Amino acid sequence: MATLELGSMSPDPCTSVMAYPCNTTSINIVSLSLACSGIALLMAIFLTKKLQSYERGTPEMNKLCDKIKSGARAFLVTEYKYLTMFVFLVFAVLIIIYTLDPPSNLLSSLDNPDRLDGIRAGGCFIGGAVLSASAGWAGMSVATDANVRTTQAADKQGLSVALRVAFTGGAVMGFTVVGLGLAGLSFFFWLMTLNRSVGDPANAEEAAANSLIAAVDSLASFGFGASSIALFARVAGGIYTKAADVGADLVGKVEMGIPEDDARNPSVIADNVGDNVGDVAGMGADLFESFVGSIIAAATLANGNAVKVALPFWIAGAGIVASLVGFYAVSTKDGANQRQLMMALHKGVISSSVLVLAFSAIIVSQFFPGDQSAEGWKIFACIAIGLIAGILIGQATEYYTSYSFWPTQSITEAGVTGPATVIIQGLGIGMMSCVPPVLIIVATILGCNALSGDYGVAMAAVGMLSTLGVTLATDAYGPIADNAGGIAEMAELEERVRETTDALDALGNTTAATGKGFAIGSAVLTSLSLLTAFKDKAQVFTADIGDPVVLSGVLFGAMLPFLFAALTMLSVQKAAGAIIIEVRRQFATIDGLREGTAEADSDRCVAISTQSSVEEMILPGVYAVLSPLIAGLLIGPKCLTGMLGGAIASGMMLAIMMANAGGAWDNSKKYIEIEGACGGKGTTTHKACVVGDTVGDPFKDTSGPSLNILIKLMSMVSLTAAPIIRGWQDWQFWYWGLLPIGLCAIATILVHHLYWKNTQDIAAPIDDVVKDAPLAKDVETPAAEDQAS
């Protein structure tokens, strides 16, 4: 077996200095991260208790809240049933492959394979998947409890307290994600080092470094598990929320002329459920994966250097403490405008960022003493660059998506001439919004690479995500505020309450857009680091873009984000069609529904959205997991390297364009509704912007956010599979590539036959819709599922 050359990626000062901190043990490496993750989880519990001290409101408000919670729980239960089968299938495959061909055997010249590598890889995969799903479930549970309390606060205590309640609910999500992510990753890293000796025991330095390398290699499976759950959660949640949203808007607001979130609309509960399963549970799983993925990438590129392995764990732990302080810095006053509300949230992010820099300086000074201090301060500069880059990307995204600035206002003004110009202007703004984030990311990569090579780029990603506790809180706050507004409308509270929740909701649209920009930027840095780690593990020494094999991989990879976005967009259209048909049927057959004297059957819409979204997530997920295996097994690691590079480049552009265009379209409508621009509600300009918002919904909440998970998942799958294809020549074992191709073909045929073949006609006469509609007993509702449970 070939022996991995230590220090092939960067100088390793610990290979010849076996003194502190170079001789630190595995438990010391994760000591601070374990302690801080415990603090984060305690903070999440404390904030949950604090949240429960706020009042829930009237019985009608509680009834609506319980419906939303029941629907969200039913969706996640159904989704997790499907994902359980996938997780155990991959678990079995990893055990078999890595038991037969242990990756740690590549690290030693001794013929002494460790057959436990299969169990380690499988265990890490299960751990990453379970913790990612748990983070999403916990966030959904708290968000569906915080929404009604935010409505009550807006009614009785005003804007300031309502912001605090919604932000507290979002903070529970933020601290749960970083707490579970860092605790799980730290624990599994420590577990992977137990009773592990890799290499020649006579060479203690090499054996110690190899043991760390082997432990970190096992963590790639942890990231694979987290990425898989994140992708399916984001795709299914995004399809659910936008199918319900589009259906509610087109039939309720456009066809029936009733207000947004009106209780007469049968799909309005499903719309509010979707906010929680897509923007809370889905975003939580997404950033959980980014958070742990950045740490795994940096630790992998540390190449057995104990100090460099420990550094990302300690920086992430310090970021949790900084986020605690940042949480308490968020506050505002009643009557605040959008700029003042945004500044209230910025105070939390900025204060935590300053503290992270201070903590990082202390850690670096201790980890790199004496002659090593120069290298340490270069790494510190990379952390600072990453942190600043994250803030700048957020600011750029805010500029393009907030109605306080020209880009979104220009979309509203374009609505004067109709919906076509709204869509044209929005697409142009979305494309233009790619420029600042790309320049920021390029400058970050070049600067960090010049300072500290590939490891410096990875640490920039760690720095960018170090304040995730408070950054995610500002993002998860948005759907809570959106739900609060929906409850206020459905419960028929006073107009002043809806005005307060609308102000919070408009801010939430902007914070959601900045959160997506932040997620995309961190995904690119993390994916680039994972790509570098893959090249090293797979022994791809050069990847010449002029090589036809590499260029073919680039083209194939650049196509995948467009295929993935197309599938998810088509899925939203298909699922929304089913919702539209059901809503039209209820308005046609339930006497008194439009007049408000009868109650809509919202459970039917929730059940249809749940089933449709879970069915539609299968094919995009299969393609995402199997595409790297097709390129790597069929052609070889060089082609896979090109594929990852192409996917990262095109995926970033498409994700930024879709997320920002969708956010700008949404806020162009809010600009009219809140500020009374262009004549206010009910005008032709308002109707034109509603159409733009409807087009932008799947852009910003389904396809766009899913693309950053796509590039991370493919990078993580490639890193996990790197030991298998290590050193392969082009087309050397092409026949193994036929297996993932066959699986893709089978999945495509099955999904087409089971789900895509039989579609309903949205344009059918209403009598045909009523005649062909399934009976209530044929659709399992959330209430029925709760009774079955």
Side-chain angles (χ1 to χ4, degrees):
M1 286 289 183
T3 304
L4 182 68
E5 295 181 10
L6 297 177
S8 60
M9 289 176 288
S10 61
D12 185 355
C14 283
T15 55
S16 59
V17 183
M18 294 304 290
Y20 181 82
C22 297
N23 65 348
T24 189
T25 62
S26 59
I27 191 61
N28 286 337
I29 287 175
V30 297
S31 57
L32 182 67
S33 58
L34 283 172
C36 292
S37 61
I39 293 173
L41 295 175
L42 289 175
M43 182 66 174
I45 295 172
F46 167 75
L47 291 178
T48 302
K49 297 291 185 183
K50 180 181 178 181
L51 190 64
Q52 292 171 351
S53 67
Y54 293 100
E55 295 181 6
R56 280 176 59 91
T58 65
E60 177 64 20
M61 292 163 59
N62 288 321
K63 176 185 174 183
L64 295 168
C65 173
D66 291 341
K67 277 190 172 183
I68 294 170
K69 177 174 283 189
S70 173
R73 186 182 295 113
F75 167 80
L76 287 184
V77 167
T78 304
E79 180 186 46
Y80 289 171
K81 285 178 182 177
Y82 278 73
L83 292 182
T84 298
M85 296 183 287
F86 167 79
V87 167
F88 280 107
L89 175 63
V90 176
F91 170 72
V93 170
L94 288 174
I95 287 181
I96 293 171
I97 291 177
Y98 290 130
T99 298
L100 296 176
D101 187 14
S104 61
N105 203 36
L106 298 171
L107 298 169
S108 174
S109 58
L110 303 178
D111 189 13
N112 185 25
D114 188 347
R115 301 298 180 186
L116 291 177
D117 277 0
I119 297 294
R120 293 188 180 102
C124 286
F125 177 82
I126 290 284
V130 169
L131 289 174
S132 180
S134 300
W137 180 276
M140 177 277 299
S141 299
V142 173
T144 51
D145 188 43
N147 51 17
V148 70
R149 301 179 195 275
T150 303
T151 307
Q152 178 68 2
D155 183 17
K156 302 300 182 184
Q157 297 172 285
L159 180 65
S160 177
V161 177
L163 173 64
R164 170 56 61 182
V165 175
F167 187 70
T168 299
V172 174
M173 180 71 199
F175 287 112
T176 300
V177 165
V178 296
L180 288 178
L182 194 55
L185 194 62
S186 301
F187 172 75
F188 274 96
F189 170 79
W190 171 74
L191 199 62
M192 294 302 103
T193 61
L194 296 181
N195 299 319
R196 196 159 196 170
S197 179
V198 182
D200 186 358
N203 188 338
E205 295 178 8
E206 180 183 315
N210 282 346
S211 295
L212 290 178
I213 292 172
V216 173
D217 286 349
S218 297
L219 293 183
S221 298
F222 185 96
F224 180 18
S227 298
S228 301
I229 296 300
L231 181 79
F232 287 113
R234 202 48 156 140
V235 170
I239 293 171
Y240 184 111
T241 183
K242 291 305 110 180
D245 196 2
V246 170
D249 284 351
L250 289 182
V251 180
K253 292 165 67 175
V254 178
E255 292 184 9
M256 299 298 172
I258 60 178
E260 185 175 4
D261 291 326
D262 194 293
R264 292 172 291 175
N265 194 327
S267 65
V268 73
I269 291 291
D271 184 10
N272 283 276
V273 169
D275 291 333
N276 293 285
V277 300
D279 292 336
V280 177
M283 176 60 85
D286 176 4
L287 288 174
F288 176 97
E289 190 278 331
S290 287
F291 184 63
V292 300
S294 65
I295 299 173
I296 293 170
T300 302
L301 293 173
N303 202 30
N305 181 327
V307 171
K308 290 185 177 180
V309 170
L311 188 58
F313 286 97
W314 281 55
I315 297 299
I320 289 176
V321 177
S323 296
L324 292 176
V325 178
F327 167 78
Y328 287 104
V330 175
S331 63
T332 189
K333 60 182 179 180
D334 289 335
N337 58 31
Q338 284 295 300
R339 286 179 182 265
Q340 291 169 329
L341 286 171
M342 183 58 73
M343 181 51 63
L345 297 182
H346 283 337
K347 286 189 295 185
V349 175
I350 292 172
S351 58
S352 59
S353 299
V354 172
L355 280 176
V356 165
L357 288 178
F359 292 149
S360 299
I362 296 172
I363 293 170
V364 165
S365 66
Q366 295 299 308
F367 274 21
F368 296 88
D371 295 339
Q372 301 170 26
S373 61
E375 182 183 9
W377 290 115
K378 288 180 180 179
I379 296 174
F380 170 78
C382 294
I383 296 171
I385 290 172
L387 197 58
I388 294 170
I391 295 173
L392 292 177
I393 290 173
Q395 294 293 317
T397 307
E398 178 186 339
Y399 173 74
Y400 281 100
T401 57
S402 172
Y403 70 62
S404 299
F405 303 102
W406 173 81
T408 298
Q409 293 175 2
S410 72
I411 297 175
T412 303
E413 293 165 0
V416 174
T417 53
T421 47
V422 167
I423 294 171
I424 292 170
Q425 184 75 10
L427 287 172
I429 293 297
M431 293 175 186
M432 188 185 300
S433 71
C434 293
V435 176
V438 169
L439 295 179
I440 293 168
I441 290 295
V442 167
T444 300
I445 292 171
L446 293 177
C448 293
N449 182 69
L451 286 168
S452 193
D454 299 323
Y455 183 78
V457 177
M459 286 307 301
V462 174
M464 185 179 290
L465 289 161
S466 60
T467 58
L468 184 61
V470 69
T471 306
L472 182 53
T474 64
D475 194 6
Y477 136 90
I480 295 174
D482 192 3
N483 268 205
I487 291 173
E489 182 70 37
M490 288 184 284
E492 299 181 351
L493 299 182
E494 297 177 31
E495 184 63 24
R496 62 176 178 81
V497 180
R498 186 65 207 231
E499 290 174 358
T500 300
T501 57
D502 278 349
L504 295 175
D505 185 23
L507 176 65
N509 288 334
T510 303
T511 60
T514 56
K516 292 179 179 74
F518 175 82
I520 294 166
S522 62
V524 171
L525 291 179
T526 301
S527 299
L528 177 61
S529 300
L530 291 171
L531 170 58
T532 303
F534 162 77
K535 284 180 57 185
D536 183 74
K537 299 298 180 184
Q539 288 189 337
V540 179
F541 301 114
T542 58
D544 183 2
I545 194 67
D547 186 337
V549 170
V550 177
L551 182 58
S552 298
V554 170
L555 295 174
F556 178 68
M559 172 273 297
L560 288 174
F562 287 88
L563 172 63
F564 193 84
L567 289 173
T568 51
M569 292 282 285
L570 292 172
S571 295
V572 169
Q573 186 277 332
K574 181 172 176 288
I579 291 292
I580 289 170
I581 290 171
E582 174 59 24
V583 173
R584 285 175 177 169
R585 185 194 69 79
Q586 291 197 32
F587 274 115
T589 58
I590 300 178
D591 294 333
L593 178 58
R594 186 167 184 177
E595 293 76 17
T597 58
E599 185 175 349
D601 184 5
S602 59
D603 283 348
R604 284 287 299 272
C605 291
V606 170
I608 291 171
S609 288
T610 298
Q611 192 62 34
S612 298
S613 58
V614 171
E615 291 170 355
E616 298 295 331
M617 77 177 180
I618 296 173
L619 206 55
V622 168
Y623 289 166
V625 173
L626 294 181
S627 292
L629 299 180
I630 292 174
L633 297 177
L634 182 69
I635 304 175
K638 282 202 304 182
C639 181
L640 179 51
T641 301
M643 191 205 85
L644 294 177
I648 291 170
S650 74
M652 178 184 180
M653 304 305 137
L654 195 57
I656 293 173
M657 188 279 289
M658 298 183 88
N660 289 348
W665 272 319
D666 194 347
N667 274 341
S668 71
K669 179 194 68 173
K670 293 290 184 185
Y671 186 42
I672 294 174
E673 295 172 347
I674 296 175
E675 303 295 338
C678 297
K681 291 183 180 180
T683 61
T684 55
T685 303
H686 181 228
K687 291 179 180 179
C689 289
V690 168
V691 174
D693 175 39
T694 305
V695 173
D697 277 337
F699 267 52
K700 69 182 176 66
D701 290 324
T702 306
S703 300
S706 300
L707 292 175
N708 63 74
I709 310 176
L710 172 70
I711 61 177
K712 288 181 295 183
L713 174 60
M714 292 197 299
S715 300
M716 200 65 78
V717 170
S718 302
L719 182 59
T720 305
I724 301 173
I725 60 176
R726 179 185 175 89
W728 283 17
Q729 301 301 310
D730 297 337
W731 304 101
Q732 184 175 359
F733 300 105
W734 60 269
Y735 41 85
W736 287 111
L738 299 179
L739 181 59
I741 291 175
L743 292 175
C744 277
I746 292 171
T748 303
I749 293 170
L750 288 176
V751 168
H752 179 267
H753 179 73
L754 295 175
Y755 307 131
W756 282 72
K757 187 176 180 181
N758 300 315
T759 57
Q760 294 174 291
D761 184 7
I762 300 178
I766 192 64
D767 291 339
D768 294 341
V769 172
V770 173
K771 179 182 65 177
D772 297 336
L775 299 175
K777 63 185 175 68
D778 297 329
V779 180
E780 189 175 11
T781 64
E785 186 160 323
D786 285 347
Q787 291 175 1
S789 300

